[in-house]
Amino acid sequence: MDWPAFLPLFLTAAVEWVEAFTIVLAVSLTIGWAASLSAAAAGLGTLAALTALTGGALSLGLDLHAIQFVIGVFLLLFGVRWLAKAIARQAGLKALHDEDAEFRETRAKVSKGDWFAAWLIAYKGTLLEGLEVWLVVVAFSLHSQAWVSNGIAALVALLAVFVAGLAVHAPLRRVPENAIKFVVGAMIVSFGTFWTLEALAGDVWPLGDWNLMVLAAFFLLGGQALVPIVRGGARGVTA
Amino acid sequence: MKAFIKTLFGDASNIAGVALIVAVAAGLTGLGHPAWAVFAMPAAGLGVVAWLARH
């Protein structure tokens, strides 16, 4: 079990599955649960196949440093985006993600289209939201080779979100999505920074793996400190 | 396909920001100062995050 990876994986997956569930729920009201869930299952199947293919292809005979560099850069691409969005939302520069609005938009889309168009919306929604989960699962697994436990973390999150969603039968609007994205963004940028530099320069981190904790604290506290600065900067621009 | 690519890589400013972070790390390592990169790379990362948050 790769415990250091479990929390970021679980939280990343939970946030993405909440968004996927909202789309699947909206579509289910038009084409029924069976068809909507079959679209979600097809999306998840595509992601599982993608994970297996990636794992098989990238685990074979590639230079560890090259893999670590690619993983690090991908995590940076993903993490800085999440952290920046979370800061912008906390600073009030960007609207908080609204599951109710997402639900209404999807309902409006599917009510205009036919059965297959609605099915495709649920399939594409699950696939695209799950793509970020796939990215993080692959990144952590290539490093630790803990494919099964990392896959389980994503599946536990999926189960938790779908059970909660089916129980309330409504979009999961009470999930503190921005706070989760803030924490996960900081953790993923930390892993990306650590692995990219290790791939480029070798064992340069003075505290070894403990530097991950230091980096996570740096990005969390630094990110929080940026909120008023970013808010103030935007006021200055608009004034 | 466009949505797929954007989900994986983000938009142009995201890619440019990460390229800058990697360039800082690679530059300092290439110049023989990898220990400086331990401090410069996280600082560059936070700077890029601040820049992206304002875009």
Side-chain angles (χ1 to χ4, degrees), chain A residues 132-154:
Chain A
E132 288 179 313
V133 180
W134 165 78
L135 181 65
V136 181
V137 167
V138 169
F140 280 101
S141 304
L142 281 173
H143 188 258
S144 65
Q145 292 299 314
W147 288 91
V148 176
S149 67
N150 291 343
I152 287 172

Side-chain angles (χ1 to χ4, degrees), chain A residues 77 80-81 87-88 131 215 218, chain B residues 4 6-8 14 42 49 53:
Chain A
L77 282 166
V80 293
R81 198 179 352 159
I87 290 169
L131 209 55
L215 284 169
F218 172 76
Chain B
F4 186 88
K6 201 175 173 192
T7 304
L8 280 185
N14 194 54
V49 166

Side-chain angles (χ1 to χ4, degrees), chain A residues 7-98:
Chain A
L7 187 64
L9 271 170
F10 178 85
L11 292 175
T12 305
V15 168
E16 295 302 328
W17 298 141
V18 164
E19 292 176 21
F21 177 80
T22 302
I23 296 167
V24 171
L25 176 68
V27 171
S28 77
L29 297 179
T30 301
I31 63 172
W33 268 114
S36 187
L37 285 177
S38 77
L44 291 171
T46 309
L47 287 167
L50 210 57
T51 309
L53 279 173
T54 320
L58 293 183
S59 297
L60 293 172
L62 284 178
D63 176 53
L64 190 66
H65 279 99
I67 291 176
Q68 200 172 9
F69 179 75
V70 172
I71 293 169
V73 171
F74 261 106
L75 288 180
L76 282 173
L77 282 166
F78 179 62
V80 293
R81 198 179 352 159
W82 268 38
L83 191 54
K85 270 187 197 170
I87 290 169
R89 283 181 173 138
Q90 199 172 322
L93 302 185
K94 197 170 160 58
L96 287 170
H97 190 87
D98 185 345

